Amino acid sequence: MTLGIIAAGIAVFTGIGAGIGIGFATGKASEAIARQPEAAGKINSALLMGCALAEGTAIFGFITALLVIFMG
Amino acid sequence: MDGFKEALVEELGNRIAFTIPVLGGVPVAESVVVTWIVMAALIVCALVLTRNLRVQNPGKGQIALEGAVQFLNGFVKTNLGTHWRPFAPYLGTVALYIGVSNLIGIVGLTPPTKDISVTAALALMSMVLIYGAQFRYRGLLGGLRQFAEPMPLLIPINLMEVAIRPLALCMRLFGNILGAFIIMEMIKLLVPVVLPAVFSLYFDLFDGLIQTVVFVFLTTLFTGEGIKEEEA
Amino acid sequence: MLEFEVSTIVFTVINLLVLYVILRKLLFGRVNAVLEQRAALVREELESAQIQHSQAEELRSEYEAKLADARQEASKLVADAQNRAQRAYEARLAQAETDAKQVHSQAQAQIAEERKAMLRGARNEVAALALLAAGKVAGQAMDSAAEQAMVESFLAEVGERT
């Protein structure tokens, strides 16, 4: 059980990558909007898409952790 | 702690509402029942909102409705190109359904999107939509050739995407809603007053709407990827 | 928690399809129909306005052409009248001039005639006087034709010389 908890904790580390990725993406998007405010709509949609994809990894890690805790 | 875990597992399980006594009993999950409620609410809303539409001097409600539909049409058109027309109603339906489903937790019902089978069904339909559109508008050969875009080297990856895309869609929606649900349960366990309301605002309202947008947006984008370059 | 329930998936797919069909008919179909009707209406009105505009433009150019025509005609008429008046004036002037000239020349001719007649009378008288004087000098009448002629020629000579 303790091992399972540790495994779940490790699985949740995927959130770090997602956080860094989304942070980078958002920063760059802000820069882009500051440079070209008229393209804000396109930048926003691209950002949303990238964030959704980056967030996917975190979600997979989270689900893995859940599996480990509740099923393992 | 163990009691909490038991309660959480109990909460997370998909309860069976009732069983249809045919073919040895077909179980009807709670999420399906809630889906029916959502459907009924949506249909009633649609009926009420479209009761007397006028071409000239529309009312305030009609203007808002038209604005929403026009926004949807424009969004689908920019992402899908010339063949946008049949897709807009479906994407709008999915958006309404997921949105209402995500928000229905506020009323006290279990969100159907917390059931992985529901999100799996949604993702399955998105997959059918994406690849169905690709083959429908490009023909069998053109649809197959689309897997070799942008270069033949990527064929295995593109084929893997057929499975990964729906899986990611399904898991993303499910994971987000489930995660929000678990966190909300934990907060309720720790601090039963005030705090849950504040966090509910973020996790139920904001997250739910964002996930709706992301799901519909990704489905549209993938569909557009399959059929858009046609006119170029 | 993470098991896929086939019956739920099937139910959800059916639910979604039903919801799609109903909403497409009730919500999107109706709203899109209204939107299209309005777009058609606007297009129609725009077209009719365009047609009216072009008609008005046509009418205007027609009127303008007519107006220009009329103005040209009027100016032509005026010019004509002026021309005619000028011509009449000139003709009258020329007539008057010739009249005056004629009167003048007549008067001159008359004067010349009178002078000539007077001259002739004077010469005759001078000749008669000369003959008379010569007759007196010669003591005889010099009234034969030959003498008359001689005096005449003499007088003519004198007249030419003077």
Side-chain angles (χ1 to χ4, degrees):
Chain A
M1 184 60 221
T2 8
L3 209 62
I5 293 291
I6 291 169
I10 292 172
V12 162
F13 266 113
T14 49
I16 295 176
I20 293 174
I22 293 175
F24 261 123
T26 311
K28 290 289 180 192
S30 310
E31 270 176 31
I33 290 177
R35 197 169 302 148
Q36 272 182 303
E38 67 275 4
K42 278 185 179 175
I43 293 168
N44 267 339
S45 58
L47 172 68
L48 194 67
M49 165 87 183
C51 282
L53 291 178
E55 194 197 39
T57 55
I59 295 295
F60 288 140
F62 171 68
I63 297 219
T64 312
L66 282 183
L67 280 176
V68 168
I69 292 178
F70 292 109
M71 306 288 155
Chain B
M1 189 60 207
D2 271 351
F4 172 63
K5 193 181 158 189
E6 290 299 314
L8 202 58
V9 170
E10 167 65 25
E11 277 296 324
L12 290 177
N14 300 313
R15 280 187 292 272
I16 303 294
F18 59 91
T19 307
I20 302 174
V22 287
L23 301 168
V26 179
V28 177
E30 197 189 0
S31 53
V32 176
V33 177
V34 178
T35 301
W36 287 339
I37 296 171
V38 170
M39 282 168 67
L42 281 176
I43 291 167
V44 168
C45 272
L47 275 177
V48 168
L49 283 175
T50 60
R51 209 179 32 214
N52 43 21
L53 294 179
R54 283 177 304 238
V55 175
Q56 272 161 344
N57 2 292
K60 263 200 185 113
Q62 193 188 336
I63 287 175
L65 191 67
E66 278 174 10
V69 173
Q70 265 176 331
F71 173 75
L72 174 76
N73 285 348
F75 166 72
V76 177
K77 205 188 284 182
T78 48
N79 281 305
L80 290 194
T82 39
H83 301 297
W84 65 278
R85 204 163 269 281
F87 296 100
Y90 174 73
L91 292 166
T93 305
V94 169
L96 282 176
Y97 172 63
I98 298 178
V100 174
S101 296
N102 288 350
L103 297 183
I104 210 165
I106 294 171
V107 203
L109 294 164
T110 331
T113 34
K114 192 174 72 64
D115 189 339
I116 196 167
S117 304
V118 172
T119 61
L122 281 167
L124 211 66
M125 293 197 65
S126 285
M127 187 181 77
V128 170
L129 185 78
I130 293 165
Y131 294 101
Q134 184 170 324
F135 282 105
R136 159 81 178 71
Y137 288 110
R138 286 180 183 276
L140 189 63
L141 265 178
L144 286 176
R145 206 175 294 131
Q146 189 62 20
F147 286 116
E149 294 286 330
M151 54 170 100
L153 196 68
L154 294 178
I155 288 177
I157 293 180
N158 279 334
L159 286 179
M160 253 158 66
E161 272 198 334
V162 176
I164 289 175
R165 276 175 178 174
L167 188 69
L169 279 176
C170 159
M171 284 303 174
R172 180 173 299 119
L173 186 56
F174 168 71
N176 268 291
I177 302 300
L178 188 74
F181 187 79
I182 290 176
I183 292 172
M184 281 309 297
E185 288 297 320
M186 285 175 176
I187 291 171
K188 271 184 215 162
L189 187 84
L190 290 176
V191 190
V193 284
V194 181
L195 214 54
V198 179
F199 278 91
S200 166
L201 215 62
Y202 175 79
F203 283 117
D204 283 343
L205 276 178
F206 185 69
D207 205 35
L209 289 178
I210 286 276
Q211 287 315 311
T212 308
V213 170
V214 165
F215 189 93
V216 174
F217 189 76
L218 285 179
T219 304
T220 316
L221 215 70
F222 290 152
T223 312
E225 223 168 73
I227 66 172
K228 201 183 179 185
E229 297 92 357
E230 197 176 335
E231 77 256 43
Chain C
M1 179 178 72
L2 278 178
E3 62 272 12
F4 293 95
E5 192 83 46
V6 177
S7 70
T8 311
I9 292 178
V10 172
F11 271 125
T12 307
V13 168
I14 293 170
N15 282 346
L16 267 176
L17 288 178
V18 168
L19 189 66
Y20 165 60
V21 169
I22 292 175
L23 281 192
R24 190 182 64 176
K25 196 154 182 56
L26 286 187
L27 186 64
F28 298 105
R30 284 183 182 179
V31 174
N32 278 331
V34 167
L35 286 176
E36 260 156 41
Q37 273 169 27
R38 179 160 321 129
L41 194 76
V42 167
R43 210 176 311 125
E44 218 167 83
E45 268 174 16
L46 216 69
E47 258 166 34
S48 81
Q50 207 137 31
I51 286 171
Q52 272 175 1
H53 186 247
S54 68
Q55 269 175 353
E57 195 70 23
E58 216 169 279
L59 225 61
R60 199 176 69 94
S61 63
E62 200 174 306
Y63 281 146
E64 240 162 47
K66 262 187 196 166
L67 209 67
D69 246 21
R71 202 170 294 151
Q72 207 173 345
E73 201 144 327
S75 70
K76 210 173 77 180
L77 275 180
V78 168
D80 226 21
Q82 245 167 7
N83 221 348
R84 209 175 307 146
Q86 182 74 24
R87 234 178 299 134
Y89 168 75
E90 268 165 18
R92 195 77 46 84
L93 207 68
Q95 180 81 37
E97 219 162 295
T98 47
D99 275 3
K101 231 173 253 176
Q102 204 174 350
V103 167
H104 186 73
S105 63
Q106 260 174 9
Q108 229 154 20
Q110 212 170 348
I111 289 168
E113 198 72 28
E114 269 170 21
R115 190 159 150 259
K116 215 178 263 175
M118 211 173 67
L119 224 60
R120 201 180 300 134
R123 198 179 293 168
N124 280 353
E125 235 160 275
V126 168
L129 279 176
L131 278 181
L132 208 63
K136 285 256 172 69
V137 168
Q140 65 178 25
M142 290 185 80
D143 48 1
S144 67
E147 285 151 359
Q148 184 97 24
M150 191 188 67
V151 171
E152 286 280 323
S153 71
F154 168 72
L155 273 178
E157 241 171 76
V158 171
E160 269 166 27
R161 215 172 294 146
T162 56

